[in-house]
Amino acid sequence: MQTVTRILRTLLFVAISMAIVLPASGCGSKKKSKKKGGGLTIAQQLEKAKAEKTADKQAKAMVKVARQQLSSSDKSGAIATVTEARKLIAADGDPNLTGPGLVEVAGFMAELGEKKQAREALDAAKVAAGKVEDALRKARILASIGAIYGSKEKGLSDPKAAGDSLAAAAEAAKSVEERFRAEALGEVALGYTGAGLSKEAGEMVSELEKSAMALEDARAKAEGLAAAAAVQGQLKNEDAAKKLLASALEAAQAVERFDSKAYALIAVAKGYAQLGDKTKAEEIFEEADVAANKTPEADQQQAAIEMVRKTMGEMKIKSKK
């Protein structure tokens, strides 16, 4: 009888414990589900975003929060956040920072359907881009502006404004020093594809290919050809893209300095991943990892290794190590 009593007491204790613990666990789960961004509330994330030191970083961080709000079906909150982000970008700020910040804000505003606000931000970004002295940076900002102006799905569907910005981007790209010109032309070509201007994108990629092939520096050639392949991929010219990537791989493997070889191989591997050839991409990422680990300078070795792993993560490719 005493044994039975002890068993009943034990069962009663367990039942009471479960009654207490289970609801507490449920409440905790609900609270966590409402907190994204490392367990911070939306208000805390916004406070952290505003604490960023530069306009472009502030805008990027706030747009990230706004995207979380939108994914939680809080469209009005997302609009309020991105509108506030726009107000934080001063007209007289450093154009190298305000330009990319305005592009970030404009792109998301366009996605939200806030076309008027998006256009205002894009127009301001174009003014900022005009004040940027570095030709590569100028080309990159203008190309991004053009893509948003022209995109029918996530932009303003304004081919004229897109064409004007992209023509200015192409002009800036032509003045970039030879070592980086292919990269600049690649940005412009991708801008044309993003804007839905396939004819102009095709013309630009032809110029990009010629520029890349003429380069003597192996890393620059590899990265330029990989950029050309990315554009051909977006234009659905898969055979042309694969041919360019094969040439890019050959150039990357000829790079002598190990960290430079790693970066060149990363560009090629990313290209294959974007074409859907994950097996080939994984093979080249592993090759890049080997090169990165052979870099003699400790800080540069670490930076190269981190870039390999980061890009693999972005491409959703797991390391075998």
Side-chain angles (χ1 to χ4, degrees):
M1 185 66 181
Q2 289 180 346
T3 301
V4 173
T5 302
R6 281 199 299 270
I7 292 172
L8 289 172
R9 283 176 181 171
T10 301
L11 290 172
L12 181 61
F13 175 78
V14 171
I16 292 170
S17 299
M18 288 180 70
I20 294 170
V21 172
L22 287 176
S25 300
C27 291
S29 299
K30 286 180 182 178
K31 285 182 181 178
K32 286 182 180 178
S33 69
K34 291 179 182 178
K35 292 184 179 182
K36 298 180 180 179
L40 300 177
T41 63
I42 291 295
Q44 289 170 330
Q45 288 180 65
L46 284 173
E47 186 178 346
K48 186 178 178 182
K50 291 174 191 176
E52 292 286 355
K53 294 182 180 179
T54 60
D56 58 329
K57 289 182 179 179
Q58 282 182 340
K60 189 172 184 178
M62 290 187 74
V63 168
K64 185 177 180 181
V65 177
R67 286 190 184 282
Q68 288 185 17
Q69 290 174 296
L70 184 63
S71 68
S72 299
S73 301
D74 184 9
K75 185 176 180 179
S76 61
I79 292 172
T81 296
V82 78
T83 300
E84 186 176 1
R86 169 65 187 94
K87 291 176 181 177
L88 290 174
I89 303 174
D92 58 351
D94 181 353
N96 294 286
L97 304 177
T98 59
L102 287 162
V103 169
E104 189 83 31
V105 167
F108 190 54
M109 281 179 167
E111 286 182 46
L112 288 169
E114 298 296 305
K115 307 291 186 180
K116 185 178 179 180
Q117 289 191 69
R119 186 176 293 277
E120 182 278 326
L122 282 179
D123 291 345
K126 193 171 180 181
V127 171
K131 298 176 184 176
V132 172
E133 294 182 2
D134 181 78
L136 175 57
R137 187 175 288 114
K138 180 183 293 234
R140 184 179 290 128
I141 296 171
L142 286 167
S144 298
I145 292 169
I148 300 170
Y149 269 132
S151 176
K152 291 181 179 179
E153 294 78 22
K154 295 184 177 181
L156 302 183
S157 191
D158 185 342
K160 185 182 183 307
D164 291 344
S165 292
L166 288 161
E171 194 62 33
K174 290 173 185 176
S175 65
V176 173
E177 63 176 290
E178 188 180 28
R179 164 69 179 81
F180 302 104
R181 192 174 302 148
E183 180 184 347
L185 291 169
E187 296 279 358
V188 179
L190 286 170
Y192 274 117
T193 59
L197 303 173
S198 55
K199 179 176 177 291
E200 291 84 348
E203 292 170 356
M204 186 57 62
V205 78
S206 295
E207 191 172 341
L208 168 56
E209 288 175 29
K210 290 176 185 176
S211 177
M213 290 300 292
L215 289 169
E216 293 183 8
D217 182 272
R219 175 182 170 181
K221 177 180 283 191
E223 292 174 341
L225 290 170
V231 180
Q232 292 287 21
Q234 287 202 13
L235 293 172
K236 309 300 181 186
N237 299 329
E238 190 171 323
D239 290 341
K242 286 182 177 179
K243 186 176 179 181
L244 285 165
L245 284 173
S247 297
L249 179 58
E250 185 178 344
Q253 290 170 332
V255 178
E256 294 182 1
R257 186 178 169 85
F258 287 118
D259 58 336
S260 292
K261 176 179 280 193
Y263 289 119
L265 287 166
I266 288 169
V268 180
K270 187 176 179 180
Y272 276 108
Q274 289 171 333
L275 282 179
D277 191 344
K278 296 295 179 74
T279 302
K280 185 69 174 176
E282 184 179 329
E283 176 188 317
I284 300 171
F285 272 125
E286 294 298 333
E287 191 175 343
D289 193 55
V290 170
N293 277 281
K294 287 183 179 179
T295 303
E297 300 85 357
D299 56 340
Q300 294 178 26
Q301 179 191 81
Q302 187 61 34
I305 291 171
E306 287 177 1
M307 183 56 71
V308 173
R309 306 291 164 77
K310 178 186 175 185
T311 312
M312 288 182 77
E314 290 172 351
M315 296 292 106
K316 295 181 171 54
I317 293 176
K318 294 181 179 180
S319 175
K320 292 179 181 178
K321 296 183 179 180

